């Protein structure tokens, strides 16, 4: 059975079972369907990072780059947020609960000429997001999902969360934010996927 | 819980995709990794398809060999990770 699934490619738990949730259609962007499970998407092997080796950095267009160890990061003020998330592969998941640190907290007092950012991760993944889209109570660096430590397959120990954009922007295994004057396309944005990725405008691909 | 090991396929999983792009049998083509120089048949590479696109990685160093995005009736193919692709004429 497993071999059959492999040969059939896109048949997997994550892509099966379209459940239409008409009651919540005003919360579901065009072309999306609601799932109740949590599909796992990955562009490579899952990094295994020990938290005593983990750090989070803000670098680039900043006079004094900032860096937190795991212990320092855990001591920062946290927020628990409940958000709908929208994957470009067309599933949406409603009312997901996350705990972590607001990017506003991490950026407090930072003066920068940057207008863009690259979010970068263990394993080499990157994604580009305008600075205005990760500040102003719009993005978090999270380490709990649904009250539990974030599992490695969902990006643990720590992932990015910018729920108003397609979920590929919410980078798993996140390690830092690079502040940039110019926009540098990330892993998917350099190969067909939209630079901005607004699910409500269906900005999936180049030219959308 | 999804077993992470299940997410990695071998190169035979992209046989159909490569036939669409290259229109010849490609699983016996040999690619040179631009990162580490290893030469591997397509059938041996590591493939991740549960993602916004298909990601092909070198089995020796795990660097990206190819990325293929398919949408809106178009393909976007990145092969900067493949220094040389060798295959038989059809």
């Amino acid at each position: 059975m497993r071999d059959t699934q492999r040969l059939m490619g896109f048949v997997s738990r994550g892509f099966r079972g379209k459940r239409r949730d008409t009651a919540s259609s005003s919360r579901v962007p065009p072309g999306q369907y609601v799932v109740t499970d949590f599909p796992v998407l990955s562009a490579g092997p899952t990094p295994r990072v020990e938290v005593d080796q983990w750090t989070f950095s803000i670098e680039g267009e900043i006079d004094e780059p900032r860096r937190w160890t795991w212990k320092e990061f855990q001591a920062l003020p946290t927020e628990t947020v409940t958000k709908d998330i929208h994957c470009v592969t067309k599933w949406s998941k409603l009312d997901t609960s996350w705990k972590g640190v607001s990017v506003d907290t991490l950026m407090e007092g930072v003066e920068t000429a940057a207008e863009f950012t690259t979010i970068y991760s263990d394993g080499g993944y990157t994604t580009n997001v305008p600075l205005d889209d990760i500040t102003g109570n719009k993005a978090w660096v999270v380490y709990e999902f649904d009250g539990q430590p974030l599992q490695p397959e969902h990006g643990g120990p720590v992932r990015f969360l910018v729920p108003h954009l397609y979920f590929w922007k919410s980078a798993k295994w996140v390690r830092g934010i690079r502040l940039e004057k110019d926009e540098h396309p990330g892993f998917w944005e350099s190969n067909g996927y939209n630079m901005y990725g607004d699910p409500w405008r269906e900005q999936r691909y180049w030219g959308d | 819980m999804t077993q992470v090991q299940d997410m990695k396929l071998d190169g035979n999983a992209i046989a159909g995709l490569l036939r669409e792009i290259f229109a010849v049998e490609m699983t016996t083509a040999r690619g040179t990794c631009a990162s580490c120089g290893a030469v591997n048949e397509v059938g041996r590479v590591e493939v991740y398809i549960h993602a916004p696109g298909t990601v092909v990685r070198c089995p020796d160093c795990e660097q990206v060999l190819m990325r293929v995005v398919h949408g809106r009736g178009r393909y976007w193919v990145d092969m900067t990770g493949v220094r040389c692709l060798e295959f038989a004429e059809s």
Side-chain angles (χ1 to χ4, degrees), chain A:
Chain A
M1 182 59 187
R2 178 168 296 165
D3 286 340
T4 307
Q5 284 191 346
R6 286 183 176 186
L7 291 170
M8 290 172 71
F10 275 94
V11 178
S12 80
R13 272 165 291 184
F15 294 86
R16 195 155 57 191
K18 296 193 176 186
R19 286 179 289 271
R20 303 281 171 183
D21 189 343
T22 50
S24 53
S25 58
S26 65
R27 292 170 62 182
V28 182
Q32 300 289 112
Y33 61 91
V34 174
V35 298
T36 51
D37 60 349
F38 195 167
V40 173
L41 277 75
S42 190
T46 299
R48 301 287 166 175
V49 186
E50 299 300 326
V51 292
D52 58 5
Q53 302 294 315
W54 182 92
T55 58
F56 192 86
S57 301
I58 297 180
E59 56 174 59
E61 292 292 329
I62 178 172
D63 286 341
E64 302 267 339
R66 296 182 171 189
R67 174 178 279 206
W68 295 265
T69 63
W70 175 258
K71 204 173 171 184
E72 290 164 345
F73 201 84
Q74 295 288 311
L76 294 170
T78 61
E79 292 181 14
T80 299
V81 294
T82 300
K83 297 289 177 184
D84 300 342
I85 56 176
H86 310 291
C87 178
V88 74
T89 62
K90 301 198 171 180
W91 57 264
S92 291
K93 186 171 175 62
L94 307 182
D95 295 323
T96 60
S97 171
W98 307 87
K99 180 179 163 185
V101 179
S102 169
V103 173
D104 294 328
T105 301
L106 303 173
M107 288 289 290
E108 205 172 298
V110 169
E111 289 190 17
T112 178
E115 291 181 33
F116 301 96
T117 71
T118 292
I119 315 302
Y120 58 90
S121 299
D122 276 316
Y125 185 79
T126 58
T127 185
N128 54 289
V129 188
L131 182 58
D132 281 350
D133 282 87
I134 65 169
T135 50
N137 206 32
K138 292 197 276 294
W140 295 265
V141 179
V142 296
Y143 48 81
E144 279 187 19
F145 169 71
D146 223 1
Q148 300 294 322
L150 189 59
Q151 294 301 301
E153 66 266 30
H154 288 302
V158 181
R159 79 177 296 159
F160 204 67
L161 177 69
V162 53
H164 71 288
L165 301 176
Y166 279 125
F167 209 48
W168 89 76
K169 300 281 189 181
S170 294
K172 295 177 172 186
W173 313 302
V174 70
R175 291 296 293 272
I177 300 169
R178 193 154 47 240
L179 302 172
E180 294 164 333
K181 286 181 180 167
D182 302 310
E183 193 167 32
H184 299 284
F187 185 88
W188 289 118
E189 294 87 349
S190 59
N191 200 57
Y193 277 100
N194 197 271
M195 288 293 271
Y196 186 63
D198 179 354
W200 295 96
R201 291 188 280 168
E202 276 210 88
Q203 293 176 330
R204 299 178 193 274
Y205 304 104
W206 288 2
D208 285 349

Side-chain angles (χ1 to χ4, degrees), chain A residues 41-43 153 187 193 208, chain B residues 1 4 50 52 57 67 69 72:
Chain A
L41 277 75
S42 190
E153 66 266 30
F187 185 88
Y193 277 100
D208 285 349
Chain B
M1 185 183 296
V4 170
H50 303 287
R57 290 178 180 268
R67 289 174 295 173
V69 170
R72 297 261 192 276

